[in-house]
Amino acid sequence: MAIVKPKGKVAAADAFISGAPDAAPAAKAAKGVMLGHKRQITLTIAPELLARVDELAAQIGQSRAAVINLAIRQAVERGLTIEGLGRVG
Amino acid sequence: MIVCIGNTKGGVGKTTLAVNLAIARALAGRDVWLIDGDRQGTAQTAISIRAEGGHRPGIACAQYPDGAVLRGQVQQQGRKFDDIIIDAGGRDSTALRAALVLADVLVVPFQPRSYDVWALNDIAGLVDEARSVRDGLRAYAVLNCADPGESSADNAEAAAAVADVPQFEYLATPLRRRKAYANAAGAGLSVLEAKPVDRKAVDELQALVNALF
């Protein structure tokens, strides 16, 4: 439709009310990049640990990312064992 | 009728006036809803003191500092009441803006002091904006805490200054600075019912009520 109707009074009133200095700020858009259904993040990792991840990946014929994702999924679902704290999560 | 007692400036006696007006209407047999649009909740506190003191009639009072909530509640529940008095402001806020969108009448109390007169321009700007999104908002400026005496020069000058702010009509029913208002409001009462009776305060408030309703 090429004809744009003037802003309705209700919408204008809403804008007027939410224009006050004490109005809640609009929700911030989530940062970061979406790749398909996944989010791209930046991860720093110790080189020795990365070497072992790659070794494991080669062993099971998966990509590095697949191994990292698998490990994280297992950690959040089954919990982590941390020295001093015991099993958490 | 929905009346907003509002000013972007604080300390002009909004809450004292709102509590007095709400009780005056209730004493006249109307179903009144007093809405406190201020986070401080002074009106709400005054009404709870009234309730604890067992004073009749009781006043329905709600506190909505959030403009969107205030508007939604008044739209849903407002029909159940004859008169709604909204105490809003002290600063530009969503509650004050929501009240300006809802109210039939805006009453802006101001003192006969330079700062108060200057501040009329701020609330006038909001009145302009409110009028651009709605129809039929009547706006009155009324002197509160006016100097004693009929011949006060400051009262007259302050009243005349309203003519420079075309958004407002000056309501010539000033309330003067009297302890009776503050003492009564602190006890959750209007000057109409407080003892000992301050006849002059009663007459002033009655004149304002008659002019508004």
Side-chain angles (χ1 to χ4, degrees):
Chain A
M1 212 163 65
I3 308 298
V4 178
K5 286 191 177 167
K7 210 172 171 187
K9 289 238 166 183
V10 172
D14 284 341
F16 169 60
I17 293 170
S18 61
D22 68 331
K28 276 186 191 166
K31 277 189 183 173
V33 182
M34 290 297 291
L35 290 178
H37 293 299
K38 297 198 171 179
R39 280 174 60 84
Q40 186 178 50
I41 62 166
T42 306
L43 173 73
T44 53
I45 185 169
E48 306 79 30
L49 184 55
L50 183 60
R52 292 182 63 187
V53 170
D54 288 341
E55 208 177 297
L56 181 59
Q59 226 177 63
I60 60 174
Q62 294 290 324
S63 68
R64 175 194 283 176
V67 172
I68 293 173
N69 270 310
L70 190 64
I72 293 172
R73 184 169 291 281
Q74 289 189 355
V76 296
E77 281 177 2
R78 298 181 195 169
L80 287 168
T81 307
I82 296 172
E83 212 171 323
L85 284 176
R87 204 177 165 79
V88 293
Chain B
M1 187 157 104
I2 304 180
V3 178
C4 168
I5 314 295
N7 195 337
T8 42
K9 187 179 182 305
V12 293
K14 288 181 303 295
T15 302
T16 304
L17 183 55
V19 168
N20 268 286
L21 282 180
I23 297 173
R25 292 302 281 167
L27 287 170
R30 309 274 292 179
D31 259 337
V32 178
W33 191 15
L34 175 62
I35 297 179
D36 190 340
D38 197 340
R39 241 165 260 285
Q40 281 179 354
T42 314
Q44 178 88 72
T45 308
I47 293 306
S48 29
I49 291 173
R50 176 185 183 82
E52 281 164 23
H55 298 287
R56 312 298 303 167
I59 306 287
C61 182
Q63 186 186 6
Y64 303 120
D66 182 86
V69 177
L70 191 159
R71 184 165 176 235
Q73 286 297 313
V74 170
Q75 282 171 340
Q76 284 173 29
Q77 311 293 334
R79 262 162 271 132
K80 298 176 183 169
F81 296 91
D82 299 325
D83 291 315
I84 302 175
I85 312 285
I86 308 175
D87 171 23
R91 69 198 75 80
D92 181 4
S93 66
T94 55
L96 175 60
R97 289 177 182 228
L100 291 180
V101 168
L102 294 164
D104 300 301
V105 175
L106 165 68
V107 178
V108 179
F110 72 112
Q111 300 188 27
R113 304 286 173 258
S114 301
Y115 293 175
D116 284 53
V117 172
W118 300 346
L120 285 179
N121 287 304
D122 294 335
I123 177 82
L126 281 184
V127 169
D128 276 340
E129 278 195 63
R131 282 179 174 154
S132 74
V133 300
R134 55 157 298 178
D135 300 317
L137 171 65
R138 285 180 283 150
Y140 298 114
V142 64
L143 270 179
N144 193 30
C145 298
D147 291 338
E150 293 295 332
S151 58
S152 155
D154 287 355
N155 287 354
E157 281 179 28
V162 176
D164 295 336
V165 193
Q167 287 84 352
F168 297 113
E169 196 179 315
Y170 175 68
L171 211 54
T173 51
L175 303 184
R176 294 194 163 74
R177 184 178 292 279
R178 300 183 196 284
K179 285 186 73 106
Y181 291 113
N183 291 348
L189 300 172
S190 89
V191 290
L192 304 178
E193 51 189 354
K195 300 282 186 293
V197 176
D198 182 332
R199 199 65 245 169
K200 290 176 177 172
V202 169
D203 290 346
E204 283 172 0
L205 180 62
Q206 207 60 62
L208 177 59
V209 169
N210 292 343
L212 285 175
F213 296 95

